Structure formats: C-alpha cells, structure tokens
Amino acid sequence: MNKIEVYWKKFLEKTKTPNQPYTSWHFELNERLANELLELVLQGKKRATASSIYDFEQEPLPKVGDYSVITNWPGEPKCIIQTTSVQILPFKDVTFELARLEGEDDNLESWREGHIRYYTQVCEAANQEFTWDMPVVFEEFQVVYQ
C-alpha cells in the first residue's frame, strides 16, 4: 500500500466513513504554489478551487460529495477534502465573491492575473487556447480530515 492508500484507510477507520472512490492530487503546476495553496487549505483560508475545464480531459468532473486526498508537491498526503458545491461558468463570470473563497487574492484583478497564467499553461498542454469564455470548474470544499 502506498502513502496515499494508507492515509485514506486511516481516514475511513477514524471517521467510520464507508469506503468509496476518491481522487488524489496537488494544487498548481509548480512546487512553490502547490505547497502555498495547500497551506492555505490547512489554515482554513482556502475553501474552493477554480480549474480549467481542460484539467479534466483524463478524469471525470468533480461532483458534490466527492472526496480528494490533497498532497504536497512531493505527493505526501496532508488532508482530505469533500466537495460541497460545483459550478461551471465562463472565466469572465467568476465574481470576486467566488474568487475570494480560494483564499489567494485581495481583489478580482489579482485573481484573474494569476488564473490567466495558470489557465494559459493548462490550455497549451491540451492544445487549446485560453479565452475569457473558457469554462471554469469552480469547486467548493471542506476539509474533513487532517
């Protein structure tokens, strides 16, 4: 059993949660940001994430009730989250009310700048182009185990 499976098993035992499918992942495309965003989750400041629709070419979209083991950049499990809400909306329609749930930025302009950088990289990897109409998968979550 790998570290993530062991962590999941401990969660199931301690919380008496029935076993079910789960995903495991880290935030962002580089080590510094992945670990910074994880820290925001662990501090309770980050309660949402906004992914490009192209992040899900190889996996199903999240749905309410889903569990995810969140890791740091090296892949060590640090917490388990459960999805509480999923909205798909164009990038241009993400409001600051939503964006601030990510706990990363003090204003919408800053949020947009950082996410345009991220989405541009994701789009390039998927042979797509970032546009202001690109669908964003906005997922709210709660930490259920740490």
Side-chain angles (χ1 to χ4, degrees):
M1 236 187 304
N2 68 32
K3 290 179 193 176
I4 292 168
E5 291 167 338
V6 169
Y7 194 79
W8 177 253
K9 189 174 179 189
K10 282 183 188 174
F11 161 71
L12 296 177
E13 289 170 2
K14 288 189 176 189
T15 63
K16 309 290 187 228
T17 302
N19 196 10
Q20 55 202 282
Y22 64 94
T23 59
S24 178
W25 45 274
H26 60 72
F27 294 98
E28 263 295 344
L29 300 172
N30 68 64
E31 184 172 4
R32 181 183 62 80
L33 288 174
N35 292 336
E36 284 178 12
L37 297 180
L38 169 63
E39 193 55 39
L40 291 174
V41 170
L42 297 176
Q43 293 170 6
K45 295 177 181 174
K46 181 172 179 62
R47 297 170 295 152
T49 191
S51 305
S52 160
I53 195 76
Y54 304 118
D55 280 313
F56 297 97
E57 290 195 320
Q58 305 297 321
E59 58 191 74
L61 291 170
K63 59 187 182 317
V64 172
D66 283 356
Y67 288 97
S68 298
V69 177
I70 306 302
T71 70
N72 59 10
W73 183 260
E76 299 161 338
K78 297 297 179 181
C79 69
I80 295 176
I81 61 170
Q82 186 174 30
T83 303
T84 58
S85 171
V86 178
Q87 299 177 59
I88 299 175
L89 64 164
F91 175 80
K92 68 182 180 191
D93 290 348
V94 175
T95 63
F96 186 59
E97 182 180 349
L98 285 176
R100 79 169 155 216
L101 294 173
E102 287 198 272
E104 302 166 37
D105 297 282
D106 295 327
N107 58 62
L108 186 57
E109 197 171 276
S110 171
W111 182 90
R112 284 179 172 165
E113 285 174 17
H115 283 73
I116 287 172
R117 253 191 319 275
Y118 171 77
Y119 294 148
T120 298
Q121 291 176 19
V122 170
C123 287
E124 285 174 4
N127 292 319
Q128 300 291 333
E129 192 173 307
F130 168 79
T131 69
W132 282 67
D133 290 315
M134 181 197 74
V136 169
V137 180
F138 195 86
E139 177 183 1
E140 294 178 55
F141 57 80
Q142 63 182 5
V143 175
V144 294
Y145 184 74
Q146 179 175 334

